[in-house]
Amino acid sequence: MSTELESTRKALRDAVAQAERAAELARLLDAAQAKLAAAEQSVEEAKALAERLSEAEERLAVEEAAAEKLRKDLAEQRFQAEVANWKLSSIKVARWNRLGDALKSGKSNPVRLAKGLRGAAKPVKRPTAPKRKPPAAVKPKDERPGAAFQATSTTRTLGGASFRLKPFRVPTGPNTRPHLTAGVIADPHVEALLRYEWRQTTGFTPRDFARVLPLEVPHLLVVESVTQGPWAEEITGEPGEGLKALLAWCAERGIRTVFWHTQGDVAAYAAAAELFEHRFTTDLTVAWPRLQFGVQPRVHNPLPLSGGRIDRVLTLDQLLSEHLTYPDVLTSYRWPAGVECPPGTPQWRLAELAACGTPIGPEPDTRRAHVALRRAYQMGTMTERIDELLDAIGLPSARATLNTSVLLPIADPYLMEHALAQVAKQSGVDQLIVIGPPESEQRARDVLPDVEIVHRRTQPEMTVGAMLGAGIDLCEADLVAVMDPRDVYGAHYLSDLRRAFLFSTADIVGKAAFYAHLRKPQATLIKQPDAEYTYVPEIVGATLLARRNALRELGFADLTDGWDEVLMRQCRTDGIKVFSADRFGYVRVRDEDRWLLGAAQLVEYGSAEPHALI
């Protein structure tokens, strides 16, 4: 009897436990569905806002065009009124008109008639005919970098078909070295490469430089081997008087002068170049110091056009026509599914295309395009090139860095070796904050001998959020990364993620698009593949890379599961921008995850690393 009673009690306990687990699973499922619904609602709201913004911009463009037409019509009417007044004045001073007036006024007075005829015989200067003037501008000049450097060509033609594009918006700042001012004489391409590296003064001529440059005296003068404009004749052949006067003006004020040969026969510029303190060239056959082109992250980046790419691979000739200005070229770079470039295409052109995320070759391939983008940046950015230039001419090249501290919370000692191995793969780690068991400190020093290690022990019942909160005040680098000891990170994970800070205006960068692997079903999934290179409501906490000061102000919730959701919610409340980078370099690893199964797309049954780690 007692055995049956005990069996019954055990069965009841098992049933209660199963009911509790079922209730917990149901609660988790309801919570996941609620989050999914909220996310879908946020996406719909974002799409609606984007559509309204696009419509508002189109209406603004129409209104601006109408206002411009009215200004032109008003200017024409004023001109026609001036013409009418001029004609009337010309008639009044005409000799035949003055003779008629004299006869009319002196017909009853011979003396007045004689005096009037003598006056009419004298020559009188006729009024000057009016000239058309351009309509007055209604907006003051915006001096920010790129403000007057925007794309204007909104249509492209292929095979007789016309395509309307929303032009890539060239950013108006910020610049890398706001403490430094440069006077620059350059063609539009080079001007686009340099404009974000310092405060830049352009547009002055041989006739007005002495009036323009004193408004903000530059620290250096950079002159490219330009082929057009008012300075082209001054620097080719025998140096012009305007160039000599400019260099003398700089010498009187201790302003460094730099000549940069980027195009044309160097012999044509040799005489003028000798007048400069420093000379650089992109030509490997010229015996001057090298200063090669680099990609400019502010304009050469994978930020997409609002309408996306067309599903066509174009030749370089189809992509770029002669009438396009350089801002329009930046729009074209982002337009096709891929570009076929002929042999002999300049290396800088290939790098710019790759940096914009455009696949190069006959077949579009996003994986190859990502690797090419990475290589384009590894070849050097203009920021790094200007560092070299400033070091060579003796000016300080101080600027903000992307130094990184890594926060690594290790709650489970069995994950220690795996977690430290993931950090050891990364480049550019200056400091590692380990919050974990006692043995993790020495092991971290062994695995990362060149990285500053700071260790704090975990306390019983300490949540992951509490561990991160204890570590954030120990971070010293400009950027702070959070890594999850359960997940897999590729060797280029941090370097790829840091790149987003070069072209986005976000304080937090991470991944909303990513690969995941579930061990029990051996399934590889991809979450939100369309969320690459865009501002998003939230990213995964295990991929968080943030500016240190912003993260300190936000803080971490005292939670193990969901600390990142609370953080993202606070970002939305405070208006802090969050940016989602590419999908590669990271794999979220779990035994099972019902939320992922319901929210992600199945890639295959097998390992995720061949898909994610490139």
Side-chain angles (χ1 to χ4, degrees):
M1 184 68 180
S2 62
T3 303
E4 292 179 0
L5 182 59
E6 186 60 31
S7 297
T8 302
R9 287 175 177 172
K10 183 179 180 183
L12 286 171
R13 285 196 299 269
D14 291 344
V16 170
Q18 289 178 2
E20 290 176 349
R21 285 197 295 272
E24 178 63 15
L25 287 174
R27 186 188 66 79
L28 291 174
L29 179 59
D30 290 341
Q33 288 176 340
K35 290 178 182 177
L36 181 59
E40 290 176 348
Q41 183 179 357
S42 298
V43 170
E44 292 301 323
E45 290 175 355
K47 288 181 179 178
L49 286 173
E51 290 176 359
R52 288 202 295 271
L53 177 61
S54 179
E55 291 172 359
E57 289 177 343
E58 289 180 2
R59 288 197 300 270
L60 178 61
V62 170
E63 290 174 0
E64 288 178 344
E68 181 65 22
K69 185 176 184 302
L70 287 174
R71 284 197 297 273
K72 290 180 178 179
D73 290 345
L74 179 60
E76 180 63 22
Q77 290 174 6
R78 286 175 176 168
F79 172 70
Q80 294 300 336
E82 291 176 357
V83 169
N85 288 331
W86 168 73
K87 289 181 177 178
L88 179 60
S89 300
S90 298
I91 290 173
K92 287 181 178 180
V93 299
R95 179 172 295 179
W96 60 267
N97 187 67
R98 287 183 285 127
L99 284 172
D101 289 343
L103 291 172
K104 184 178 179 181
S105 61
K107 61 182 179 179
S108 58
N109 188 329
V111 175
R112 183 183 298 171
L113 175 62
K115 189 180 295 185
L117 291 175
R118 284 197 300 271
K122 294 180 181 178
V124 177
K125 185 178 180 180
R126 301 189 66 173
T128 304
K131 296 181 179 179
R132 276 192 171 87
K133 298 177 182 178
V138 296
K139 292 183 179 179
K141 184 179 179 182
D142 192 337
E143 297 295 343
R144 294 176 298 169
F149 190 77
Q150 297 297 338
T152 58
S153 179
T154 58
T155 58
R156 302 291 187 275
T157 303
L158 287 176
S162 181
F163 298 83
R164 185 175 181 182
L165 308 181
K166 186 172 183 180
F168 171 69
R169 182 71 180 173
V170 178
T172 54
N175 60 45
T176 304
R177 304 171 187 82
H179 63 280
L180 197 63
T181 301
V184 174
I185 298 170
D187 285 340
H189 175 223
V190 169
E191 189 178 328
L193 299 181
L194 297 177
R195 64 174 59 248
Y196 302 99
E197 299 304 323
W198 41 44
R199 293 199 307 273
Q200 186 159 289
T201 301
T202 59
F204 52 92
T205 69
R207 294 179 298 278
D208 66 6
F209 74 84
R211 176 179 57 83
V212 174
L213 293 182
L215 300 177
E216 187 174 10
V217 178
H219 298 90
L220 74 160
L221 171 73
V222 179
V223 178
E224 185 210 2
S225 49
V226 293
T227 58
Q228 298 177 349
W231 291 99
E233 294 183 0
E234 296 282 331
I235 64 174
T236 53
E238 186 65 25
E241 293 302 318
L243 177 65
K244 293 178 181 178
L246 172 62
L247 295 176
W249 186 89
C250 291
E252 291 174 0
R253 291 157 180 80
I255 298 170
R256 310 288 207 286
T257 57
V258 175
F259 184 81
W260 189 15
H261 171 243
T262 62
Q263 57 188 327
D265 184 359
V266 70
Y269 304 101
E274 287 298 322
L275 303 178
F276 289 76
E277 294 178 276
H278 304 275
R279 289 163 292 280
F280 297 89
T281 182
T282 60
D283 191 339
L284 298 178
T285 65
V286 178
W288 290 351
R290 301 284 177 270
L291 183 64
Q292 301 292 347
F293 289 145
V295 295
Q296 174 50 261
R298 299 292 288 154
V299 295
H300 304 136
N301 57 59
L303 292 175
L305 296 181
S306 61
R309 296 180 182 272
I310 60 168
D311 189 22
R312 293 179 63 175
V313 175
L314 306 180
T315 66
L316 196 60
D317 288 340
Q318 290 174 317
L319 184 70
L320 305 176
S321 57
E322 293 182 358
H323 74 279
L324 292 178
T325 64
Y326 193 70
D328 293 318
V329 168
L330 297 174
T331 298
S332 293
Y333 280 166
R334 293 165 165 80
W335 181 44
V339 179
E340 287 193 77
C341 298
T345 301
Q347 187 62 42
W348 63 264
R349 179 77 76 187
L350 296 173
E352 289 183 1
L353 277 166
C356 291
T358 302
I360 298 175
E363 296 294 333
D365 186 325
T366 55
R367 291 167 58 81
R368 278 187 22 234
H370 181 74
V371 173
L373 183 153
R374 182 188 295 152
R375 288 175 179 166
Y377 274 81
Q378 288 174 343
M379 289 169 59
T381 65
M382 278 311 299
T383 298
E384 294 165 331
R385 297 285 188 257
I386 296 304
D387 284 344
E388 298 170 7
L389 169 67
L390 296 175
D391 288 342
I393 69 175
L395 285 176
S397 58
R399 57 182 174 86
T401 70
L402 298 179
N403 295 340
T404 306
S405 295
V406 174
L407 281 174
L408 186 65
I410 306 176
D412 187 346
Y414 292 102
L415 293 173
M416 180 184 68
E417 290 294 336
H418 172 79
L420 292 174
Q422 303 311 303
V423 181
K425 296 178 186 178
Q426 309 305 317
S427 61
V429 176
D430 298 275
Q431 184 187 40
L432 173 62
I433 314 296
V434 182
I435 303 97
E439 61 271 21
S440 61
E441 178 178 10
Q442 186 56 50
R443 189 62 187 136
R445 297 186 189 281
D446 294 339
V447 174
L448 296 136
D450 299 324
V451 175
E452 178 191 351
I453 306 296
V454 179
H455 176 262
R456 291 294 183 270
R457 292 189 181 186
T458 54
Q459 302 299 323
E461 305 302 323
M462 199 175 191
T463 66
V464 171
M467 296 166 73
L468 295 173
I472 184 62
D473 289 333
L474 303 173
C475 296
E476 297 179 352
D478 294 335
L479 301 179
V480 175
V482 174
M483 296 178 68
D484 192 314
R486 298 171 291 181
D487 297 336
V488 174
Y489 298 84
H492 300 283
Y493 163 74
L494 268 182
S495 58
D496 282 351
L497 207 56
R498 277 194 297 264
R499 189 183 308 124
F501 283 103
L502 299 177
F503 54 80
S504 76
T505 56
D507 286 319
I508 293 180
V509 169
K511 295 181 185 290
F514 60 90
Y515 288 93
H517 181 71
L518 304 182
R519 290 194 185 96
K520 285 190 176 180
Q522 283 295 301
T524 289
L525 312 169
I526 185 168
K527 178 80 186 313
Q528 297 187 112
D530 294 332
E532 291 183 295
Y533 300 119
T534 185
Y535 294 93
V536 293
E538 59 184 27
I539 49 92
V540 177
T543 66
L544 184 143
L545 180 65
R547 299 192 188 278
R548 181 188 59 188
N549 292 338
L551 199 56
R552 278 179 173 170
E553 291 180 6
L554 289 166
F556 294 96
D558 189 6
L559 299 169
T560 290
D561 295 323
W563 64 265
D564 51 346
E565 296 175 14
V566 175
L567 181 68
M568 293 297 103
R569 191 157 55 243
Q570 190 62 46
C571 287
R572 293 193 292 272
T573 300
D574 295 350
I576 293 176
K577 288 185 177 180
V578 178
F579 185 81
S580 174
D582 59 86
R583 71 182 74 176
F584 301 108
Y586 166 75
V587 180
R588 181 184 176 96
V589 180
R590 299 291 182 270
D591 289 333
E592 56 184 350
D593 191 321
R594 285 187 172 84
W595 174 74
L596 267 177
L597 281 172
Q601 303 172 18
L602 178 66
V603 176
E604 69 169 2
Y605 288 99
S607 174
E609 295 187 15
H611 298 278
L613 308 187
I614 59 174

